[in-house]
Amino acid sequence: MKIKNTMLNKSKFIILKMFPKIEKNNYIAWICSLTIAVFIFYMSSLTSQQIPRGGSGASAYLYHVTVFFFLAFFLAAALVKEKNKKLLLLSVAISIIYALSDEIHQSFVTGRNSSLKDVFLDFIGISFASLVYLISLEYRKRITKPLLILNNII
């Protein structure tokens, strides 16, 4: 039991150390965001015959939620940089606009069509990413305050 708790605490620490590094060197977050956007565009450019399993079912749902989660998350890291939470709304807006434009683009591809259901799934991923990012900001703020006080005392 003690080993599991130690491993869990270490993994939390590693994840919490990763966020500020991505925010500090936000070019990493921008590169990730652009790479994901290009990947989404590429996947939308594939015809229905080129998509494994026809692009439907649970794998398609999971794809939409996951890929837009990461797009929104890295956009938030690139824009907010742990400073201005209002920019989180901008990252959400950009992600939603990209989701809508992706569906419009997809409607011009042979054998594909646009779907509001897909935009809704994208929105779920975007919302979840925003929530995770906000929670991580608040958690890091609470963790670093006691550490700053300890550093000032010592």
Side-chain angles (χ1 to χ4, degrees):
M1 184 71 161
K2 198 168 194 172
I3 294 172
K4 287 183 183 178
N5 288 339
T6 306
M7 289 171 53
L8 183 63
N9 288 337
K10 284 183 182 180
S11 65
K12 281 182 187 177
F13 184 68
I14 290 169
I15 290 170
L16 290 175
K17 283 181 80 172
M18 180 183 70
F19 288 146
K21 286 183 181 183
I22 290 172
E23 291 165 337
K24 184 178 178 184
N25 305 313
N26 77 334
Y27 65 90
I28 295 170
W30 281 114
I31 290 170
C32 290
S33 298
L34 291 173
T35 302
I36 293 166
V38 167
F39 176 75
I40 291 169
F41 184 84
Y42 169 75
M43 292 300 288
S44 292
S45 299
L46 298 176
T47 63
S48 58
Q49 289 84 17
Q50 294 172 314
I51 299 172
R53 297 187 204 144
S56 61
S59 62
Y61 297 155
L62 186 61
Y63 164 78
H64 279 276
V65 172
T66 304
V67 77
F68 276 91
F69 171 88
F70 285 110
L71 176 66
F73 185 83
F74 283 112
L75 268 176
L79 291 170
V80 176
K81 296 185 279 188
E82 201 176 336
K83 294 178 180 140
N84 189 353
K85 288 183 193 174
K86 292 178 184 175
L87 289 174
L88 184 63
L89 290 175
L90 180 61
S91 71
V92 168
I94 291 170
S95 299
I96 291 171
I97 290 168
Y98 196 76
L100 289 168
S101 68
D102 175 56
E103 289 303 314
I104 292 168
H105 166 247
Q106 198 170 312
S107 70
F108 292 103
V109 176
T110 307
R112 304 283 297 272
N113 55 7
S114 59
S115 167
L116 285 177
K117 178 178 70 176
D118 289 349
V119 175
F120 179 71
L121 292 168
D122 299 341
F123 180 72
I124 290 171
I126 293 165
S127 300
F128 188 58
S130 302
L131 183 65
V132 167
Y133 190 78
L134 269 177
I135 290 169
S136 75
L137 283 177
E138 291 301 316
Y139 187 73
R140 286 183 284 154
K141 191 188 308 179
R142 290 181 185 176
I143 293 293
T144 55
K145 279 184 183 178
L147 292 177
L148 290 174
I149 293 168
L150 277 175
N151 287 339
N152 290 335
I153 294 172
I154 297 174

